[in-house]
Amino acid sequence: MKKRAKKMICMAGICGVVLCVSGCGITSNFPGKEKKRAELKIGISVYDQYDTFLTEVISRLQSYAKEKEKDWNITITLEIQDANKSQLVQNDQNDEFIKRNFDVACINLVDRTDASTIIDKAKKADMPIIFFNRELVEEELERWDKLYYVGADAFKSGQIQGQILIEQCEKDFASVDRNGDGIIQYVMLEGEAGHQDSIVRSMYVIDEITKAGYKVEKLADEIANWSRSQAETKMTQFLSSYRNEIEVVFANNDDMALGAIDALKKELGTKREAKDNGTPWPYVLGIDGTEVGLEAVANGEMLGTVLNDGKGQAERMLDLAYSLVSGESLSEEIELIDGKYIRLPYQKVTAENVAKIQWNMQETIKE
Ligand code: GAL
């Protein structure tokens, strides 16, 4: 196999940082690793360091680790690496975590159908793995009892996105169905081909709306790989074919919704300008509740988004890693489904509650 790419790319400017040092030790509960220890060493590999949502997850992981060093009275080392969208690079990073005797690895798989190399090697070395955000198939997770997954309930995010539009339809159907034909014409911006969140979100949002009795017509859909710039290009193409016909833009995440908004501003002018010119914007809906996404809901450019609890995912990952190494049980509020899964709920964000959610986020950053 290719020699390991030595380049360790840092996210958020931090790479392999020992966050705090303290004296007291904890005892590992891993078979064959019983020894006094004063350190929890976690290797983290993310599929792409430029992904906005994951950048927020990692940043919360770093701040939570600082907090928990004090509470648990240990040193926590987080080594964060970017797999740069290559499964081979990620496999090599995992090898390095094993070689350097890390206690746990947190892996955000590049290719969710290709976890076997990582699993085989981790099992051989007895290093538990917490997969996160990109869910591998259940059979893979069953292959060893020290494999876990932390993420969200993907299908609920699609349903909640649908509910946001339904609320708007109930309030003022004419504002959605601008051509008055009784059918909602929409375009869809999808994440990655084969990603569980893309598939499930695209399906459940439409399912929810049609179940509520509304008729829909898909004008176009395109994959934009969670990327703002790719979504802008796709939306520009949609507008060249369906300029005045698009009533709703569903995006599988906030960055793509923002890319669609960038295109709308360039092609139609700002929301207000477009309205004055008699070509009002379509409603745009995202998912994630990133800082920039929330801002777009607050300023009215986005009708709503669905909070993907990155803070909760980061915290539960660290709690689980600590519990695995220390042998202490997880807090009772944390449900470990089938002994393997921790799933965080999504939350609806619209103009009504966005200020509160932004305030909560600010408090978290200050912590
Ligand atoms: C999704 C998230 C996207 C992107 C993707 C990467 O859960 O909504 O914005 O981060 O994960 O796997």
Side-chain angles (χ1 to χ4, degrees), residues 47 51-54 108-109 132-134 152 192 195-198 201 226 252-255 287-288 290 308 313 346:
Y47 88 105
D51 183 293
T52 308
F53 172 68
L54 284 161
N108 175 227
L109 279 171
F132 67 104
N133 167 263
R134 298 161 74 89
E192 276 165 272
H195 190 300
Q196 86 280 354
D197 288 348
S198 297
R201 286 173 185 173
W226 310 116
N252 283 171
N253 78 342
D254 282 356
D255 262 15
I287 291 178
D288 272 347
T290 56
N308 190 359
Q313 291 172 36
Y346 286 98

Side-chain angles (χ1 to χ4, degrees), residues 266-281:
K266 282 191 192 150
E267 297 297 315
L268 308 179
T270 62
K271 200 171 173 184
R272 174 166 289 277
E273 284 164 355
K275 198 170 176 208
D276 292 346
N277 295 334
T279 47
W281 283 30

Side-chain angles (χ1 to χ4, degrees), residues 65-84:
K66 271 192 199 149
E67 270 170 60
K68 287 295 157 184
E69 277 197 320
K70 290 186 204 122
D71 294 352
W72 297 332
N73 198 22
I74 56 165
T75 296
I76 301 174
T77 301
L78 301 180
E79 177 151 319
I80 299 153
Q81 304 216 8
D82 176 18
N84 203 12

Side-chain angles (χ1 to χ4, degrees), residues 1 87-88 90-92 94-95 98 107-125 127 129 131 134-144 147:
M1 195 197 296
Q87 192 55 60
L88 286 179
Q90 186 163 68
N91 293 352
D92 289 344
N94 187 59
D95 289 349
I98 293 170
I107 305 286
N108 175 227
L109 279 171
V110 176
D111 180 350
R112 58 185 281 262
T113 64
D114 192 9
S116 51
T117 307
I118 287 182
I119 292 176
D120 291 343
K121 293 203 177 167
K123 186 174 173 186
K124 204 163 157 218
M127 177 185 70
I129 306 256
F131 292 99
R134 298 161 74 89
E135 187 166 351
L136 59 170
V137 288
E138 201 183 330
E139 295 78 60
E140 291 275 49
L141 214 62
E142 290 303 329
R143 285 182 41 206
W144 185 38
L147 302 175

